[in-house]
Each structure stands twice: as C-alpha cells, then as structure tokens.
Amino acid sequence: MASTKTKTVWFCSHCGNEYSKWLGRCPACGEWNTFVEKEVVTGPAGKGARMSVPGEGRKPLPLKDVSTTQEDRVSLGSAEVDRLLGGGIVKGSLVLMGGEPGIGKSTLSLQLPLHRPELKTLYVTGEESVKQVKMRADRLGGVADNCLIFSETDMGTILEEAEKVAPDLMIVDSVQTMYCAAVDSTAGSVSQIKEVAAELLRFAKSSGIPVILIGHITKEGTIAGPKILEHIVDVVLQFEGENRGAYRVLRSIKNRFGSTSELAVFEMTGTGLREVANPSEMLIPMHEAGLSGTAISAMLDGNRPFLFEVQALVSSAVYGTAQRSATGFDVRRLNMLLAVLERRAGFKLGQKDVFLNMAGGLRITDPACDLAVIVAVLSSNFDMPIPADVCFAGEVGLSGEIRPVSQAARRAVEAARVGFKRIFVSSYTHFDQKPQGIEVVKVADIPALVRALFK
Ligand code: TYD
Ligand code: MG
C-alpha cells in the first residue's frame, strides 16, 4: 500500500483533462492535437496526494462539534476588491486572478500593497525585473516600505523566502512563468501550472498567508492556464474588458468564502486603475443626440443594479448569408431573439446583418437584458432613436412574451437615481411598493412594446 509507482498519462493542453492514452481529439473540449504526455507518481508519496486544512484532524467530526468562528480576513485597501472577495481576503486562501495579457492584472496586484502600506507584502514576479516593477510602482504613485519585490521563478526558492519573510500577503505574477523543479516539463505547461498552484495552496493553507496568483488567459482560452486551476483555488477573480477601452471589469466567478457573480468596475488611467464605485454613471456614455440603435438596460450583476448601453446595428446583408455578431452577449441568444422577432412579430430580419455590442466591454449574462437588445435592434432597423430617459428590464420568451425579471424594484430605483424617467418592464412584474420618481411602463409582448415605442 505504501509503495509508489510511476505511470504515463496524457493531458489535454487546452482544457487540462487527463487520459490514460493519446487521442487526436480531446473528448472533453473537442480540440485537436492538444495532447501532451506526462509521467506521474501515484501512491501515498505522490505529490498532491494529501492536502488538508491546517489544524484539522484526519478524523471525521460530527458537524455539530465543528466550531464556526468567522474567517480571518485581511483588507486589501481597495473597497471594490474587498467587496468582491466578500469583505477582504481570507487568511490562508489562494485567489486566482485571471485575464488577458495587458488588461491590468499586474497593475492591480501591485496597487493593492501600495495603497495598503501597513501590510507586509511579498510580490513575486517572474515576468518583470525588480527595476521594471519599481518603475511601475513610481507610476502608480506609491511607496510602500513593507512591500518586498522578488524576481524569481523557482517555486522552491520562492517558498523558502516566503517562509523566512512571513508576509501578510503574497502575490505571484504569474502562474505561467513559475516552475517546480520536481516536475519535468517547461514552465507554463499543464503539469507545471497544476503543480505550482498545488504548492501555493499547500503553502497558503499551512502558513495562513493569503496568496494572490495571477494567470494569463487568452480570448480563445487556448493557453492552458486558469481554466484548469479553477477547482484548485479558493477564489477566482476574472478581469474582462476590451484592452483598448478604459474600463475593466473584475468579476468573481468562484468564491468559497462569499457570493459569486459580483463585479467591480475599474478605469485604467495614467496612474493606475481607478475604482468606479458607481458603474451606472460610467457605463452610460453621453448620448444626448438621439442616435438610433441604442437602448439602456437596467441590469443586475451579483447584487448590484446598474445601467448600461446596448448598441445594435442592422443593415442589409451584402453577401448571401446574413452575418450575426455579438460582443459581450451570447450570439446564440441573439439569434434566438431575432428568430422571435421574425416569427412572433413579423419583422423580416433574415436578410439583414445584425451586430450587437455591449458598451464598456462588459459581458452580459443577465436575461433581463433581452428587452434592451430587442429594442436596440428594432431602433436600428427603423432608424428611430429611443428617448434618452427610457430604460428597459425584461426577459423575452420564445412566444414573444415579455417576462418579469428578478428584483425589478431595485432596478427601477437605480434607474430613477441616475435620472431615467421611464422604465419598461413585463406586465407580470409585481412591485410591493411603487418605485418613486420613475414611470413604470408595463408591456406584455413584443407587439405591445412596438406600439408603445415606435408608433
Ligand atoms: P498590466 O497591468 O501589465 O497588464 P497584465 O499584467 O494584465 O498583463 O498592464 C496593463 C496596461 O495598462 C498596459 O498596457 C499599460 C497600461 N497602464 C496604464 O495605462 N496606466 C498605468 O498606470 C499602468 C501601470 C499601466
Ligand atoms: Mg502582467
């Protein structure tokens, strides 16, 4: 039982799934030619075979005997990041911060210790020299006496130093550049990434030091990385947004110590990332001149209502087949909504190109956005602008009916606060209390919506 043995397994370098034999196409993610071979040690001595939370025995405990003290949290000096984490970073937790290159991961993670100088931080970088980090810190306008910069990529050395330094917070930039000498493959490979994360998790759990691990992710997700780590780490924060745009959205997609689907908005400025405490005002660009093809949605992400702009462009298809493209919105959902418009309301969009864009580089999953998408498409199609003080919150069903959405009252209140005068919702929406300062227009289906807006 105590003996160990070595066996060969195959990993898909795209999704990280493990197989016992080589395959041309990964059954899990469908990618071709992504298999890489790796030797693993199995048995009790194998790395990662055991992992437990410090201070906890290896015996099952009756649930009623488990003490429930509040988790110990450390504030990171950024109200928005603290909120995303559920009130600060939990001691001994491993947080993965993923995002495309250039989106601002290094900037944000360096900004945290600079804005919270009393925290002793160990910032490990495998991507930049200490000089480069210093230059960035100068640009961010911060001096932190307690922030140690360590340019190193060998996990053995890093963990040794970390134990000596015993910081309050450790940041590792990035998982793709680190390597463990015990694993026989290059930095950035699936096996290295997994092992680096596992080592950091062990370190965090045994020392109680919170660790922020940065991981690059590409648009297509082709580089093995954060995706395969999501189940290992405690929290996953993901940076989204167009690199060219000023706004960046940090979203919590997994959190063992708090709620998920919360988001925080940042603006990239010349001196680092600025928190946008009230996203409504930032995400709605000035739209005084009535342009057709835009509609404002009152949406809810996580627990926070805010308003943002949906843009659509409908034009005659130049080539035989019409194009449908959506940025920040599920293109299948767009196709579904267009089919509903065609079948249930008689709009002939089959020969039209339809482009949809969520302003601010946001990725939208709230179904309440359907109504604004439909309105933006119709507005562009008729070339009729929507009044600037009108917003929408409703889900659209397959038979063209408009369905109520969650927390409609909070959306209406937020819309009123930002200055909107009318909000369109489903006829079936129930308000305990009539929202103040905004007219609620109830519509049952798409024909009723068209009558109300495009007479
Ligand atoms: P960076 O944080 O290095 O991104 P990542 O670590 O995710 O790859 O860089 C973000 C981008 O932001 C980079 O193109 C430079 C720019 N930037 C600013 O506009 N202002 C600043 O103060 C800083 C530090 C960077
Ligand atoms: Mg970086």
Side-chain angles (χ1 to χ4, degrees):
M1 168 93 178
S3 67
T4 63
K5 53 182 182 203
T6 309
K7 67 169 184 173
T8 300
V9 295
W10 295 88
F11 277 108
C12 167
S13 61
H14 183 253
C15 67
N17 270 296
E18 187 185 313
Y19 298 92
S20 56
K21 63 178 196 303
W22 185 88
L23 293 168
R25 183 170 191 245
C26 174
C29 67
E31 286 296 313
W32 291 92
N33 279 331
T34 52
F35 273 52
V36 286
E37 190 176 9
K38 184 184 174 255
E39 278 197 346
V40 291
V41 183
T42 57
K47 289 219 170 241
R50 294 179 194 143
M51 205 178 288
S52 69
V53 181
E56 290 185 1
R58 288 180 182 262
K59 278 206 183 106
L61 266 183
L63 197 53
K64 66 178 172 52
D65 294 346
V66 179
S67 67
T68 50
T69 43
Q70 199 67 35
E71 298 108 4
D72 230 348
R73 291 179 186 262
V74 182
S75 163
L76 292 177
S78 155
E80 292 291 291
V81 177
D82 281 353
R83 187 175 56 78
L84 273 187
L85 292 168
I89 193 166
V90 172
K91 285 193 178 161
S93 67
L94 178 59
V95 175
L96 175 70
M97 195 196 285
E100 288 166 34
I103 197 142
K105 302 178 296 295
S106 304
T107 305
L108 182 64
S109 59
L110 185 60
Q111 223 171 296
L112 298 173
L114 293 180
H115 291 177
R116 189 87 207 288
E118 62 276 25
L119 275 192
K120 187 174 181 185
T121 312
L122 179 62
Y123 185 98
V124 184
T125 171
E127 308 215 325
E128 289 155 308
S129 67
V130 283
K131 254 201 196 132
Q132 280 172 304
V133 178
K134 174 75 168 83
M135 276 158 57
R136 188 195 294 260
D138 288 344
R139 192 169 168 191
L140 298 173
V143 210
D145 298 339
N146 278 329
C147 182
L148 297 167
I149 307 293
F150 191 26
S151 183
E152 179 58 66
T153 53
D154 175 12
M155 283 306 291
T157 320
I158 292 167
L159 294 181
E160 211 172 282
E161 280 304 317
E163 253 153 44
K164 273 190 233 153
V165 171
D168 300 316
L169 171 69
M170 176 153 135
I171 296 162
V172 179
D173 187 4
S174 63
V175 66
Q176 275 92 355
T177 52
M178 301 295 153
Y179 74 93
C180 295
V183 177
D184 188 21
S185 63
T186 54
S189 64
V190 177
S191 38
Q192 281 290 5
I193 284 175
K194 281 189 165 174
E195 189 56 27
V196 166
E199 288 263 325
L200 283 171
L201 186 69
R202 246 169 301 194
F203 170 77
K205 298 278 178 254
S206 61
S207 65
I209 297 169
V211 179
I212 298 178
L213 176 61
I214 291 172
H216 294 294
I217 192 164
T218 59
K219 265 214 172 78
E220 306 77 35
T222 42
I223 291 181
K227 281 278 166 228
I228 57 175
L229 296 181
E230 277 174 14
H231 63 282
I232 301 180
V233 301
D234 297 308
V235 179
V236 180
L237 300 181
Q238 189 150 319
F239 249 121
E240 292 165 7
E242 292 298 316
N243 279 354
R244 299 174 304 277
Y247 298 112
R248 312 287 153 99
V249 174
L250 189 63
R251 192 190 288 272
S252 84
I253 52 178
K254 166 179 174 175
N255 193 348
R256 283 191 181 141
F257 315 106
S259 68
T260 49
S261 72
E262 290 285 336
L263 64 77
V265 181
F266 293 89
E267 184 188 5
M268 184 59 92
T269 68
T271 53
L273 287 159
R274 188 181 70 81
E275 290 180 7
V276 179
N278 178 10
S280 291
E281 278 144 52
M282 303 307 293
L283 288 172
I284 302 173
M286 303 299 122
H287 58 283
E288 281 150 35
L291 291 174
S292 65
T294 67
I296 307 293
S297 177
M299 70 166 266
L300 201 68
D301 211 300
N303 228 341
R304 192 161 56 163
F306 68 93
L307 290 110
F308 79 101
E309 191 180 83
V310 177
Q311 304 167 335
L313 180 67
V314 179
S315 66
S316 300
V318 182
Y319 306 107
T321 43
Q323 289 189 66
R324 266 80 212 265
S325 128
T327 312
F329 192 78
D330 184 4
V331 75
R332 281 168 305 185
R333 183 127 196 122
L334 171 64
N335 279 328
M336 186 280 270
L337 293 173
L338 295 177
V340 169
L341 274 179
E342 181 135 5
R343 288 298 297 271
R344 307 289 177 197
F347 295 102
K348 296 276 172 277
L349 293 165
Q351 288 307 308
K352 300 277 178 83
D353 288 341
V354 179
F355 304 97
L356 189 71
N357 183 31
M358 302 289 135
L362 224 66
R363 206 190 65 218
I364 303 300
T365 49
D366 184 358
C369 187
D370 289 354
L371 197 52
V373 169
I374 294 251
V375 171
V377 167
L378 291 176
S379 162
S380 176
N381 190 43
F382 298 145
D383 196 18
M384 282 172 73
I386 304 298
D389 57 358
V390 176
C391 64
F392 305 87
E395 185 183 337
V396 173
L398 285 179
S399 50
E401 83 278 19
I402 293 163
R403 301 163 152 257
V405 295
S406 65
Q407 308 200 42
R410 291 189 57 212
R411 298 173 199 256
V413 168
E414 172 67 9
R417 199 186 63 74
V418 200
F420 283 88
K421 295 281 179 284
R422 274 192 293 163
I423 181 167
F424 279 68
V425 295
S426 156
S427 300
Y428 310 103
T429 310
H430 167 74
F431 292 105
D432 285 336
Q433 221 180 349
K434 203 178 156 293
Q436 296 295 306
I438 189 161
E439 183 196 342
V440 176
V441 184
K442 293 189 170 180
V443 279
D445 49 24
I446 291 172
L449 175 78
V450 173
R451 278 195 303 277
L453 275 174
F454 309 99
K455 279 183 285 262

